[in-house]
Amino acid sequence: MAEYKWPAPAERTLIGKRISRVDGAVKVSGHAKYSYDYNPKGLLFGKVLRCPHAHARVTSIDTSAAEKMAGIKAVQIVQKPGTEVLWQGDDIVAVAAVDEPTAEDAIRAIQVKYEVLPHNVSDAEPPAGAGEGPAGPMTEDDLENALGNQVPDAQVISDLQKRGVTFQVTDDMTKELKGYGVSDAVINALKAAAYHPEAASQPRSPYQKMAAQTQGDPDKGFASAEVTSEGVYGAPVITHCCLETHGSAAEWPSSDHLLVHCSTQGVSGLPDQYAQALKIPAGNVRAHQDHIGGGFGSKFSPDRWGIATAQLSKSAGGKPVKYMLERDSELMTAGARPSAYARVKVAAKGDGTLVAWQSDSWGTGGPAGAGSPPLPYVFEIPNQRKQHTAVRTNQGPARAWRAPNHPQAAVITMCALDDLAHKLNMDPVEFFAKNLDMTGPRAPIYKEELPLAAELMGWKQKWHPRGDKSEGPIKRGVGLSMHTWGGRGHASNCLLSIHPDGSVDIKMGSQDLGTGTRTAILIVAADSLGIPMNAITLNIGDTMYPPDGGSGGSTTIGGVSSSTRRAALMALDQLFAKVAPALKAQPADLEARDGTVRVKSEPSRSLSWKQACAKLGAMPLSVTGKNPGPGNLINSGVGGVGMADVSVDTETGIVKVNKMVAVQDCGLVINLKTAESQCYGALIMGISYALYEEKVLDPVTGRMLNPNMEFYRLAGLRDIPELMVHMMTDPLNENRGVIGLGEPPVISPGAAISNAVANAIGVRVPFLPLTPDRVLAALEQQQKAGA
Amino acid sequence: MRAFEYTSPTTRQQAVELLAGSWDQSAVLAGGTDLLSLMKDDVVAPKRVVNIKDIRELHGVRFGPRGMQIGALTSLGELADHPLVRQHYPAFGDAVVEAASQQIRNMATLGGNICQRPRCWYFRSGFGLTPKTPEGKSLVEEGDNRYHAILGNDGAALFVSPSSIVPAMIAYGARIRIAGPKGAREVALEKFFVIPRTESEREHDLRPNEIVTDVFLPPPAAGRYAHYEVRQKESFDWPLVLAAVALQMNGNTVRSAKVVMGYVAPVPWVSEEAAQALVGKTVTEQTAQAAGEAAVSQAKPLSRNRYKVQLARVAVKRAILQAAQGKAEGGAA
């Protein structure tokens, strides 16, 4: 039996090297096929009529004129009359037509009447006392929020007993909750809760105040502090803005078999979602995807429009129907990162040791409120009091956005700490270093990373106490932030076959988000089997292959690398058993290296890979490596440091980033090149949300005002400065095994850039994005305060 | 996009005949970078599209003693690369190079840049040029006006003029020639733009059956010119505010000045106050600052755009300083 571990550093031929991605050539040449590119003969084009109101009830729908139009092949009502629509752009009716203009004409011919209801798109600070007082019966959203925000069981149970619920508790619901790990005590309380159906239609306060959480003795903590800093910080709702919009093509090869080409982060997870909505067996759904143009957490579901696309195809006799969101629909409806703001009070002893934290945070994730950011972030300050208020708005539904809740938590925490460092007259690097023992298990890695990042940034030369005193309107400053993430590999199955002719193929239901997953799988397989990467055929992105986890939460690299490693080692076990007699050796004495199978102690006793595989006989050998599985191949928990160097034009408020540094740990790196690329991409994304991104909602109409790429700004080439990335690859980190990397480096840039701006201009700009109006307003406040 | 009739005339005369007497009947297609997105977003839905790209005489740049004549169909890309533009009208060249992206500059024409519609997000959402709330109030005033007008905003129109190139052209004294059913007419570019008072009016003095055919830049009078943009992104972004200035000097003192601001009003805004503040003065940090102050002395910011007053003040100051520091242009042409 093989021992399941990673090869020792000296034995690695590919793992940890800088290897160009295997799909680079097809992508840059335009040969890579995305869901958007699926254009079979006879394709019908889908379009969706979207609600123009931020809050309304559908009163009637008349599709008769559209149905009579030439070229219209199917019409599907997505949300029936009576439905309450909670955001602008939500799907009402879908059509399929022979071409796009005809589909658009049909949309215009559909008559939908709405009862327009009052909307709220503001996530401004809740008025004092909002969300308090006698709360009515709990809605499903209330319950979901309580469970999602780790409100203690006792509190949830007491709420259920006291308040009752507005919804009927079904067996399916309790089963699902149990599946999410909700305790029996809570489920029993839920079953026993009084049912108040009448309350469901009562107007509700937009504010949901979560239970206050306290650790240690905050009052005593603040009393013992020598320096206290107070401030308000936050980040607005932003969108995912995937360059390939959401959508799919669907067709029915037979009346009960569905084939979808869907832009998705989770191929294997799609069939069940389609099956539930369409009432067909999940086994009859095939999902396929070769390449995806961005997801960032927003592409796990077929979505309403995807289900409608499948229904349209069915109505059109199974013909393929494609519907990809338009740019405006993408920005309006396909996901938003919740906002988070907080009033923070944080205190330290005179030497900089943190002693107490207090935060009153709020934010919106659309109609369901939002999850609260993990505060205080990274630092386990001994005495804490924190309270979060979720604001229900008609902003559109929230979705996970690369490192859900963490960038917001970093902005709130790291900016508050930076302000405290300023009050302490301390260099933030020294102040953060002083408190690293409060960072828990990641403390040792932060202790290595912080000075390294400072060196790469040239911090000592660049840092100055707050406010660049040099002449002229351009002020320069540096700032830092720290972050953490889990990143344990998800469930994965790698079906690896070695054929008697020496060819090797791998089949996995995983997907390559553009992060280099294909390349990583091939690196692990080739390094393990001792053959070149191009000797292996890799098939991913299809439900015909063994199921694999969705690519979210930085879980893919751990999942696919460990299942592939296990598959390769299992396959070698079987191959060695067949080959050993020919080499007059024991299977355990063999190794696969340099395209041969050979005796470890005497490498000249060898067979070429092809000769060795010929010993398999007539049948290929096939194994499935799994994650989780034997051996400690993966781990969880990383730390990273981000730093920014900015220039601020104090006359115009324009911020320009001069340099960004990311120092990041992710355990054993499979491909150094694509790992660094993840960090580069994250820094660029970070610059965008720090300086530009904001989902602008019109207070009057409730509509999104910038559902386009001219006023929803993303950094372009000229906005991207020098980016310096350093991966921590020392043996101590490598020995922890493989850990995910997608999320962590995107967490710190917002806070680091905000801190750099404060360092440059001498005053905090409270909220991202750091636009000229906000920067100038902060400078004006500072002037008033000084005058 | 709604169905439309497509025509492709080869002469000015044919083009003008194909254009109808009302805006909703027909539209001129040149580079298409604005018209197509307006049609796709259903903001405009012309029944007939008149493609003028096949009118050969509307292409190209000619330079002579009377200045530069630029065919309306000349692309921004051609202008950006044109050595005579860089040599004789560098501030205009700067404005062209900074406009949009390389891809858009390759398609977009100078005539189209002059005639492009406002970027106001209410206009682009189909609420019109002078959008109203259901109660009849100004939607811009009640809503989010962070990018809207701070000057010339007494009426119903609160959008800002969208061209980032026109202010520099006005600073150089540009005129345009317009072809219509009654033949050609010429108008100073500065006078071409008007503030619409009602929804039925347009933001320029073009009839629905007219096309801009040529742009004339006079020989640059000996003077100093500059174009300065304040914008968030360096890559592909609309300026928040810009200023273009022309200074005619008498030794070290300013004999006459033209100060034009973009993105501050529904039209390119020529500031007499700023010009007057400069005349007879030497250009220093202080006089430039005073001219910037004068430029915004009449500004009336809306609820969300007070910051633009400061941006305009600074843009004017910096454009003046940049012009004064830059080497003198023209005269030798």
Side-chain angles (χ1 to χ4, degrees):
Chain A
M1 262 296 281
E3 199 185 340
Y4 292 98
K5 59 179 190 180
W6 293 107
E11 289 166 23
R12 294 175 204 152
T13 57
L14 297 164
I15 291 170
K17 307 274 189 285
R18 277 198 177 78
I19 300 196
S20 294
R21 62 179 72 222
V22 295
D23 50 355
V26 292
K27 281 191 165 170
V28 298
S29 65
H31 288 91
K33 293 292 175 224
Y34 295 76
S35 302
Y36 225 119
D37 297 321
Y38 184 66
N39 292 311
K41 206 164 176 260
L43 178 69
L44 300 174
F45 294 83
K47 278 283 164 195
V48 171
L49 186 155
R50 299 186 173 280
C51 179
H53 309 292
H55 189 197
R57 193 180 312 280
V58 180
T59 55
S60 72
I61 300 176
D62 179 0
T63 60
S64 54
E67 281 172 57
K68 282 183 212 129
M69 289 171 69
I72 296 299
K73 301 297 182 188
V75 176
Q76 178 74 38
I77 291 177
V78 184
Q79 299 199 76
K80 293 191 180 76
T83 311
E84 184 182 353
V85 181
L86 294 171
W87 59 87
Q88 178 220 3
D90 202 5
D91 317 48
I92 309 296
V93 186
V95 303
V98 291
D99 56 34
E100 251 183 299
T102 307
E104 284 178 19
D105 287 342
I107 292 294
R108 281 190 283 264
I110 295 168
Q111 301 292 323
V112 181
K113 291 206 172 78
Y114 302 93
E115 177 197 349
V116 179
L117 302 168
H119 65 256
N120 169 36
V121 293
S122 166
D123 61 359
E125 184 169 12
E132 285 170 350
M138 290 181 90
T139 64
E140 276 191 82
D141 284 347
D142 292 339
L143 181 66
E144 218 169 88
N145 261 308
L147 298 173
N149 288 302
Q150 276 107 44
V151 174
D153 277 8
Q155 171 83 45
V156 178
I157 292 166
S158 133
D159 273 358
L160 286 167
Q161 287 167 346
K162 270 191 269 173
R163 296 166 57 187
V165 293
T166 63
F167 53 94
Q168 227 156 2
V169 180
T170 63
D171 288 349
D172 277 358
M173 187 184 297
T174 51
K175 220 172 91 189
E176 200 182 328
L177 290 174
K178 214 172 155 62
Y180 288 129
V182 175
S183 75
D184 286 339
V186 168
I187 287 172
N188 289 335
L190 180 61
K191 284 180 180 163
Y195 174 43
H196 301 283
E198 75 292 344
S201 54
Q202 300 297 314
R204 298 191 298 167
S205 158
Y207 305 108
Q208 303 159 272
K209 203 156 201 158
M210 308 292 160
Q213 296 178 47
T214 305
Q215 276 176 47
D217 188 337
D219 292 331
K220 222 165 126 187
F222 281 110
S224 74
E226 283 156 90
V227 179
T228 301
S229 171
E230 291 185 56
V232 56
Y233 314 92
V237 173
I238 66 171
T239 81
H240 297 68
C241 202
C242 302
L243 288 192
E244 182 196 35
T245 59
H246 288 62
S248 61
E251 62 198 279
W252 296 76
S254 70
S255 64
D256 60 349
H257 280 76
L258 173 68
L259 167 63
V260 291
H261 291 76
C262 185
S263 184
T264 183
Q265 293 178 241
V267 171
S268 304
L270 285 180
D272 198 51
Q273 299 184 63
Y274 277 102
Q276 284 191 24
L278 299 169
K279 312 274 181 276
I280 51 170
N284 290 8
V285 179
R286 182 182 163 200
H288 179 91
Q289 173 186 256
D290 286 328
H291 297 282
I292 176 175
F296 314 110
S298 69
K299 284 185 180 166
F300 289 102
S301 159
D303 288 310
R304 280 210 242 282
W305 50 82
I307 299 299
T309 306
Q311 288 166 327
L312 288 169
S313 168
K314 179 125 201 187
S315 306
K319 280 192 185 146
V321 176
K322 183 167 75 176
Y323 175 63
M324 307 295 293
L325 295 193
E326 303 77 14
R327 174 56 53 193
D328 56 354
S329 314
E330 174 77 16
L331 270 73
M332 287 186 292
T333 68
R337 185 178 85 175
S339 59
Y341 310 89
R343 284 195 183 276
V344 176
K345 190 163 119 183
V346 60
K349 291 185 194 158
D351 67 355
T353 307
L354 285 162
V355 292
W357 168 277
Q358 180 181 306
S359 58
D360 285 292
S361 55
W362 73 94
T364 187
S372 63
L375 297 176
Y377 190 52
V378 174
F379 293 90
E380 267 302 315
I381 300 172
N383 305 296
Q384 306 179 9
R385 182 189 297 120
K386 51 197 184 181
Q387 177 140 46
H388 184 77
T389 303
V391 186
R392 254 192 296 263
T393 64
N394 303 101
Q395 285 243 9
R399 294 181 186 211
W401 191 101
R402 202 171 180 181
N405 289 327
H406 282 231
Q408 299 95 313
V411 166
I412 292 168
T413 306
M414 302 300 159
C415 295
L417 294 184
D418 186 73
D419 283 354
L420 180 58
H422 163 63
K423 269 199 126 174
L424 285 156
N425 289 318
M426 280 179 84
D427 176 337
V429 169
E430 284 164 29
F431 169 70
F432 278 65
K434 173 96 195 164
N435 289 289
L436 284 180
D437 286 333
M438 285 180 205
T439 60
R442 299 280 80 76
I445 192 81
Y446 288 132
K447 285 178 183 173
E448 285 181 59
E449 287 173 337
L450 193 54
L452 195 53
E455 194 185 317
L456 292 171
M457 176 48 85
W459 183 276
K460 275 208 174 74
Q461 298 77 47
K462 289 178 180 168
W463 184 80
H464 49 73
R466 251 190 204 177
D468 177 359
K469 302 287 185 287
S470 61
E471 283 291 300
I474 310 292
K475 306 294 183 194
R476 198 159 169 171
V478 287
L480 80 93
S481 169
M482 292 168 46
H483 57 260
T484 183
W485 189 254
R488 181 176 294 281
H490 58 216
S492 173
N493 293 287
C494 173
L495 175 60
L496 187 150
S497 303
I498 301 177
H499 299 267
D501 68 350
S503 60
V504 176
D505 69 73
I506 291 175
K507 296 186 171 76
M508 300 174 80
S510 186
Q511 53 281 317
D512 190 335
L513 247 60
T515 51
T517 301
R518 278 187 176 85
T519 314
I521 294 168
L522 287 170
I523 287 171
V524 171
D527 198 321
S528 303
L529 298 175
I531 57 175
M533 285 164 68
N534 62 13
I536 302 168
T537 303
L538 174 62
N539 300 286
I540 64 168
D542 202 303
T543 51
M544 309 261 279
Y545 310 138
D548 222 286
S551 291
S554 306
T555 58
T556 305
I557 188 66
V560 300
S561 66
S562 57
S563 67
T564 303
R565 175 70 178 166
R566 290 186 183 107
L569 294 178
M570 285 161 73
L572 284 181
D573 264 357
Q574 294 189 20
L575 180 66
F576 290 168
K578 299 270 190 181
V579 172
L583 288 170
K584 300 194 172 49
Q586 292 301 310
D589 298 334
L590 300 184
E591 64 178 4
R593 301 278 298 174
D594 303 332
T596 68
V597 175
R598 65 194 192 189
V599 179
K600 277 185 221 170
S601 56
E602 201 184 334
S604 58
R605 271 166 65 196
S606 71
L607 289 177
S608 74
W609 177 259
K610 208 172 158 77
Q611 289 168 334
C613 295
K615 304 290 178 201
L616 289 172
M619 291 285 284
L621 79 79
S622 234
V623 298
T624 300
K626 288 178 176 299
N627 188 54
N632 297 318
L633 299 181
I634 61 172
N635 215 319
S636 175
V638 301
V641 174
M643 288 187 176
D645 164 1
V646 307
S647 290
V648 184
D649 186 332
T650 51
E651 289 185 345
T652 62
I654 301 283
V655 178
K656 169 103 183 115
V657 183
N658 303 313
K659 179 175 173 174
M660 298 284 298
V661 169
V663 176
Q664 185 64 50
D665 134 62
C666 70
L668 174 65
V669 173
I670 299 293
N671 183 357
L672 190 52
K673 190 171 192 173
T674 48
E676 288 167 345
S677 292
Q678 275 300 296
C679 298
Y680 290 127
L683 293 178
I684 294 167
M685 206 164 174
I687 291 169
S688 288
Y689 80 73
L691 299 186
Y692 311 125
E693 288 184 74
E694 182 180 6
K695 187 175 187 185
V696 181
L697 276 291
D698 180 31
V700 181
T701 62
R703 292 163 62 134
M704 183 174 179
L705 291 172
N706 59 343
N708 51 53
M709 296 191 71
E710 57 176 319
F711 293 116
Y712 193 89
R713 295 177 171 88
L714 298 179
L717 274 179
R718 284 161 71 192
D719 307 300
I720 300 167
E722 179 187 6
L723 304 176
M724 203 171 261
V725 170
H726 180 88
M727 302 301 302
M728 303 296 283
T729 54
D730 52 275
L732 217 61
N733 289 314
E734 293 190 332
N735 288 342
R736 298 181 63 211
V738 176
I739 313 174
L741 176 65
E743 340 278 308
V746 87
I747 299 168
S748 274
I753 290 171
S754 178
N755 287 340
V757 168
N759 182 244
I761 65 176
V763 62
R764 171 68 54 189
V765 182
F767 302 141
L768 301 187
L770 305 166
T771 49
D773 51 343
R774 292 194 177 94
V775 174
L776 290 174
L779 285 164
E780 203 174 312
Q781 287 272 320
Q782 177 194 36
Q783 237 173 2
K784 274 188 200 152
Chain B
M1 196 184 288
R2 293 173 195 255
F4 55 86
E5 181 188 294
Y6 181 78
T7 60
S8 208
T10 54
T11 68
R12 276 183 266 207
Q13 184 63 29
Q14 286 172 353
V16 165
E17 281 167 11
L18 284 164
L19 287 169
S22 73
W23 291 110
D24 53 350
Q25 292 298 307
S26 59
V28 174
L29 172 68
T33 55
D34 193 22
L35 181 66
L36 262 66
S37 54
L38 286 165
M39 289 172 71
K40 282 182 180 172
D41 292 343
D42 209 27
V43 176
V44 302
K47 301 202 167 45
R48 176 188 288 168
V49 168
V50 180
N51 167 40
I52 59 169
K53 283 198 294 291
D54 291 338
I55 306 176
R56 295 194 48 161
E57 60 201 7
L58 300 188
H59 287 269
V61 175
R62 277 164 292 251
F63 187 69
R66 290 187 46 228
M68 186 171 273
Q69 180 180 356
I70 305 168
L73 287 176
T74 310
S75 76
L76 301 188
E78 287 169 75
L79 288 170
D81 295 337
H82 203 290
L84 292 175
V85 169
R86 307 296 304 170
Q87 186 184 336
H88 297 294
Y89 306 94
F92 169 55
D94 286 349
V96 171
V97 168
E98 286 299 325
S101 66
Q102 182 68 54
Q103 289 88 340
I104 289 176
R105 288 195 297 274
N106 289 343
M107 288 303 293
T109 65
L110 188 61
N113 185 276
I114 292 168
C115 297
Q116 67 182 306
R117 308 302 309 279
R119 307 308 305 184
C120 166
W121 46 29
Y122 294 105
F123 172 69
R124 296 273 161 175
S125 305
F127 289 98
L129 279 178
T130 57
K132 298 273 185 296
T133 68
E135 297 76 35
K137 293 184 188 163
S138 163
L139 185 48
V140 175
E141 281 181 46
E142 300 292 309
D144 194 321
N145 46 45
R146 68 183 75 182
Y147 301 126
H148 286 79
I150 53 170
L151 284 160
N153 54 3
D154 298 330
L158 300 173
F159 60 86
V160 292
S161 180
S163 171
S164 61
I165 301 174
V166 160
M169 286 197 278
I170 292 176
Y172 279 106
R175 299 178 66 77
I176 57 172
R177 183 187 285 163
I178 294 166
K182 291 177 193 153
R185 63 185 175 107
E186 246 182 68
V187 54
L189 187 56
E190 182 181 338
K191 303 282 179 218
F192 178 67
F193 297 95
V194 291
I195 300 179
R197 286 158 303 179
T198 66
E199 201 53 51
S200 60
E201 294 181 357
R202 283 252 163 160
E203 63 276 18
H204 49 60
D205 165 36
L206 197 70
R207 313 280 179 277
N209 53 3
E210 289 183 326
I211 54 173
V212 173
T213 59
D214 302 275
V215 174
F216 298 96
L217 294 175
R224 297 166 185 271
Y225 299 83
H227 165 91
Y228 188 89
E229 295 183 7
V230 179
R231 62 193 217 190
Q232 268 190 277
K233 281 170 56 184
E234 290 194 23
S235 293
F236 193 10
D237 200 3
W238 297 100
L240 296 167
V241 162
L242 71 76
V245 300
L247 305 178
Q248 262 66 52
M249 307 298 289
N250 199 351
N252 275 336
T253 58
V254 176
R255 179 160 48 82
S256 71
K258 187 115 194 166
V259 176
V260 192
M261 288 181 282
Y263 303 90
V264 298
V267 293
W269 194 259
V270 179
S271 174
E272 294 302 334
E273 296 90 345
Q276 284 314 312
L278 286 171
V279 170
K281 309 264 171 53
T282 53
V283 175
T284 62
E285 178 86 25
Q286 285 69 34
T287 52
Q289 173 89 34
E293 292 294 346
V296 297
S297 57
Q298 304 300 314
K300 284 189 211 138
L302 306 170
S303 59
R304 299 270 324 243
N305 67 3
R306 204 166 52 87
Y307 74 104
K308 286 184 69 173
V309 177
Q310 164 68 5
L311 299 191
R313 186 185 284 133
V314 173
V316 167
K317 179 185 82 172
R318 290 186 181 177
I320 291 166
L321 290 173
Q322 193 173 302
Q325 284 153 12
K327 67 179 191 349
E329 290 161 17

